[in-house]
Amino acid sequence: PLNSSYRISYNMLLNMMRVEDVDPEYLLRASFHQFQQESEAPALEAQANDWENDAKGIEVGDGSKESEQLVGEYYQMDQQLLLTKRKMMRIVRRPEHILPFLQASGRLLDVSIDGEHFGWGVLVRYKHKTGTGTAGSAGKMAADANNGPRHQLDVLLPCVDKRHDEIKDEKNDKEGKAEDTVAVDTGLLWRGTVQHCRPVRPNGIDDEKTISMREFTIGLDGIDRISAVRIFIPKDTHPVQHRQNVLKSLQEVHRRMPTLPLLDPVKDLGIKGNEFQTLVERAATLKERLSSHKLSTDFTEEEKKLRVEAYGRKTDLLEQARVIRRKAHSCQTMVMRDELKKMKRVLRQLGHVDASGVIQTKGRTACEINTANELVVVELVFTGILNDLSVEQCVALLSCMTYDERNKSDEGEDPAKDLKSYLSNPFYKLQETGRVVAKASIACKVELDENEFVEQFNPGMMEAVFAWCKGAKFVDVQKLTGSFEGTTIRTLRRLEELVRQLTSASKAIGNHELQKKFEQGSELIKRDIVFCSSLYL
C-alpha cells in the first residue's frame, strides 16, 4: 500500500507562520497522512465492537452478576500470584544465584521459549558468550552481529516437528505415504528451533513416533523452574539413539516422581535480602487466600478451572477492545500536533519567532534555506562565524552539510584530524553550533541524540571543495576524496544550491557583505564538468 511519510520541516513551518491567516495545523489536517490515519478509525471501531460482543457472549458460571464477580475476585488474586512468582523467578535467574547449578550437564530444567512452554528438558552444556564490545571497534562489531543472550544454555527438549502437523492436514494417500519418510528425516535432526518445532501436547495427543529430543539454545530468561534432579546424559547428544535414551530417562523420572523436587531459592541457591523475602511472604498470603476462597471451597477443581478460564477469555477480549478503541480515538486526532508544538518551542528558544509567534530576522533567514539544516546554517550566519572566513573557507565549511556520506572515522576519533588548521578550526566551530541547536531541541522535548546530530556533519569533502574553489581540475579534486565521482558531483551541486539560498537570505536581511561573499562563492563552484547539462556534450 501507499503510505504517507509526510513530515513538516522548520523551513516549511516558518514560511507558513510568516503568511497572515495561514494556520500550520490546517496543512496537517489537510495532509494525506492525516487522511490515511483517519480512514483506519472506522475499521478499528468495528473490530472493537466485535470483540466486545464476543466478550458479552461468554458466560461465566451461571451467567449471573454475582457469579462473575466471585470468579473475578479469584482471577485477580491468581494474576497477582502469577506476577509475584515471575518477580521471584527473575531474582532466581540472576547469574550469581543460578550459574553454580548450571555448570554440570544433566540438570532438569522447565523451559519456555518465545512464550511457548516446552516443559521439562535436560541441560547439555552452559556457554558464556564473549566478545561483548570491549575489544575496540572489532569487538563492538562482533557484539552487534550477534545480539543473543550473554549466558547461553543448550537444553534437550521433547518436541514435535511441525512438518508432521502439515502432513496430518493432508488426507490424501500420497501425503500419507510421505509421513514415514518425514519421521525418518526428523529423527536425524538434532538442532531444534521454535520456527520448526512445537511443544508436545499433554495427555498423549501426539503420536510417540513423532516425538523427538532436540537441542535448543536458550538464555537464562527461558528457565521457568530448576529441579534438584540430575540424570546421566552421554557426552555426544547428536546421534538419534543417544537422544532417544535421554528421552526414556526423562520419562522414567516423571513416572517415578510425578512432581519433581525443585531447588529451594533460600536453602539451595542462597538468595538473601528483603526484596525476595517480601515476595515469598506475598506469594504465601495469596496462596492462602486462594485456597480459602469460596470458588475453591464450594466448587470442584474442574468447575473452578472452567469458570476461571472463561473469565480470563472475557477479560482479554474486553482489554483488547479497549486498546483498539483508544487507537481508533488517537487516529481521529490531528497527526503530529505534539511534534508541531515542540518545533514552535524550538523556534522561540532560538529566537526565530517571538512569544507572540511573529517572525524575527533569524526566522526570515531560515525561510530561504531548505537544502541543509536551516537552524544550524542560520546560527552560523548570526554568530559571525562566516564573517571571519574567506570565500573558499565558507564554501568548504558549508560542504559538511551537503556531503551526506557516512563518516568513516572510528567512534570517538576526531573526523577532522587530517585537515589543515584553516579548515579544521571552522569545522570545530560548526560542531559547537550544532550542539547549541541540539541542546535547544532537547530542552524543548524534541527526541534527538546530541552526538548523532553533530556526527551528521561530515568534513570529508572540505579539502576537495577548497581545492575546487581555488581552480583545481576535477581529476585532481577527485584524488582528495574517498568517494565516487557521482557523489562528488552531487555534493557540489547541492552545495551551489545552498550558497544561492544563503545569497538570497543575506539579501533579505540586508547583510550585503555576506551577500557579496556568497555570490563570489557561487561563481567559484559553478564551473566545468560538474555543472554540464550532459556529460555527452
Side-chain angles (χ1 to χ4, degrees), residues 276-488:
F276 190 78
Q277 188 60 36
T278 303
L279 292 173
V280 171
E281 293 173 359
R282 178 177 174 78
T285 303
L286 287 170
K287 287 179 182 178
E288 185 179 347
R289 289 183 181 179
L290 286 171
S291 60
S292 61
H293 193 270
K294 189 176 180 180
L295 194 64
S296 298
T297 57
D298 295 0
F299 299 91
T300 64
E301 190 67 29
E302 187 65 28
E303 289 175 331
K304 181 180 74 173
K305 183 179 179 181
L306 291 174
R307 294 185 181 214
V308 172
E309 288 179 351
Y311 186 88
R313 290 197 305 273
K314 187 171 185 176
T315 303
D316 290 343
L317 286 172
L318 290 174
E319 180 60 29
Q320 289 173 3
R322 278 194 291 270
V323 171
I324 291 295
R325 206 173 288 284
R326 282 198 297 268
K327 186 178 179 181
H329 179 70
S330 66
C331 287
Q332 294 170 335
T333 59
M334 192 184 77
V335 295
M336 294 184 285
R337 173 178 287 172
D338 293 337
E339 186 177 345
L340 183 63
K341 290 180 180 178
K342 294 174 184 177
M343 291 175 71
K344 287 181 177 179
R345 284 200 293 268
V346 173
L347 293 177
R348 285 196 296 270
Q349 179 96 354
L350 293 173
H352 291 259
V353 297
D354 61 12
S356 303
V358 178
I359 300 289
Q360 303 298 300
T361 306
K362 271 185 159 184
R364 291 200 303 273
T365 308
C367 286
E368 304 292 333
I369 299 165
N370 59 22
T371 304
N373 189 299
E374 50 270 70
L375 300 183
V376 177
V377 173
V378 169
E379 289 299 316
L380 287 175
V381 172
F382 280 83
T383 52
I385 294 174
L386 299 178
N387 294 335
D388 302 329
L389 301 178
S390 66
V391 176
E392 293 84 358
Q393 285 176 306
C394 281
V395 176
L397 180 62
L398 293 173
S399 71
C400 299
M401 289 181 280
T402 61
Y403 182 48
D404 52 9
E405 291 289 311
R406 186 176 178 181
N407 201 328
K408 296 180 181 179
S409 59
D410 292 335
E411 186 177 354
E413 187 179 348
D414 183 7
K417 62 181 178 63
D418 296 328
L419 295 177
K420 301 289 196 307
S421 60
Y422 58 83
L423 294 178
S424 61
N425 290 337
F427 176 73
Y428 295 144
K429 293 180 181 179
L430 170 62
Q431 286 185 317
E432 292 174 8
T433 305
R435 292 194 184 279
V436 170
V437 174
K439 288 175 180 176
S441 302
I442 294 170
C444 296
K445 308 300 182 183
V446 175
E447 293 184 6
L448 187 71
D449 185 277
E450 182 181 335
N451 292 328
E452 286 184 9
F453 183 80
V454 174
E455 286 171 3
Q456 69 179 323
F457 306 126
N458 190 347
M461 198 65 73
M462 287 186 73
E463 191 175 0
V465 171
F466 188 85
W468 179 257
C469 292
K470 286 292 187 180
K473 294 181 180 180
F474 183 78
V475 65
D476 297 326
V477 168
Q478 186 59 34
K479 294 176 182 178
L480 299 174
T481 70
S483 60
F484 294 106
E485 289 83 353
T487 303
T488 305

Side-chain angles (χ1 to χ4, degrees), residues 149-347:
R150 188 175 179 183
H151 301 280
Q152 296 181 342
L153 307 172
D154 291 334
V155 183
L156 280 175
L157 294 171
C159 60
V160 176
D161 195 292
K162 291 182 178 179
R163 283 189 287 174
H164 290 294
D165 297 334
E166 295 172 3
I167 291 174
K168 287 180 180 178
D169 291 337
E170 301 292 338
K171 300 298 183 182
N172 57 58
D173 295 338
K174 182 178 179 181
E175 292 294 334
K177 291 177 182 177
E179 187 167 0
D180 293 335
T181 305
V182 172
V184 174
D185 292 342
T186 55
L188 296 174
L189 299 174
W190 62 272
R191 173 64 70 181
T193 61
V194 289
Q195 288 79 20
H196 302 102
C197 304
R198 63 165 175 83
V200 179
R201 298 190 184 102
N203 302 322
I205 297 176
D206 292 313
D207 188 353
E208 290 187 3
K209 293 180 180 179
T210 63
I211 301 174
S212 63
M213 292 290 277
R214 294 204 186 177
E215 196 173 293
F216 291 75
T217 300
I218 64 171
L220 296 182
D221 57 350
I223 301 175
D224 289 340
R225 291 178 293 174
I226 179 167
S227 172
V229 178
R230 286 179 56 198
I231 63 174
F232 169 78
I233 63 170
K235 291 184 179 180
D236 185 7
T237 56
H238 294 179
V240 180
Q241 191 58 46
H242 290 183
R243 286 183 282 117
Q244 287 301 112
N245 291 338
V246 174
L247 176 60
K248 291 177 182 178
S249 299
L250 184 62
Q251 292 171 343
E252 179 64 20
V253 170
H254 283 305
R255 188 184 68 80
R256 296 184 183 183
M257 293 179 286
T259 303
L260 293 179
L262 305 178
L263 289 176
D264 187 271
V266 178
K267 296 179 180 178
D268 298 321
L269 300 182
I271 300 176
K272 299 177 182 179
N274 295 331
E275 180 186 5
F276 190 78
Q277 188 60 36
T278 303
L279 292 173
V280 171
E281 293 173 359
R282 178 177 174 78
T285 303
L286 287 170
K287 287 179 182 178
E288 185 179 347
R289 289 183 181 179
L290 286 171
S291 60
S292 61
H293 193 270
K294 189 176 180 180
L295 194 64
S296 298
T297 57
D298 295 0
F299 299 91
T300 64
E301 190 67 29
E302 187 65 28
E303 289 175 331
K304 181 180 74 173
K305 183 179 179 181
L306 291 174
R307 294 185 181 214
V308 172
E309 288 179 351
Y311 186 88
R313 290 197 305 273
K314 187 171 185 176
T315 303
D316 290 343
L317 286 172
L318 290 174
E319 180 60 29
Q320 289 173 3
R322 278 194 291 270
V323 171
I324 291 295
R325 206 173 288 284
R326 282 198 297 268
K327 186 178 179 181
H329 179 70
S330 66
C331 287
Q332 294 170 335
T333 59
M334 192 184 77
V335 295
M336 294 184 285
R337 173 178 287 172
D338 293 337
E339 186 177 345
L340 183 63
K341 290 180 180 178
K342 294 174 184 177
M343 291 175 71
K344 287 181 177 179
R345 284 200 293 268
V346 173
L347 293 177

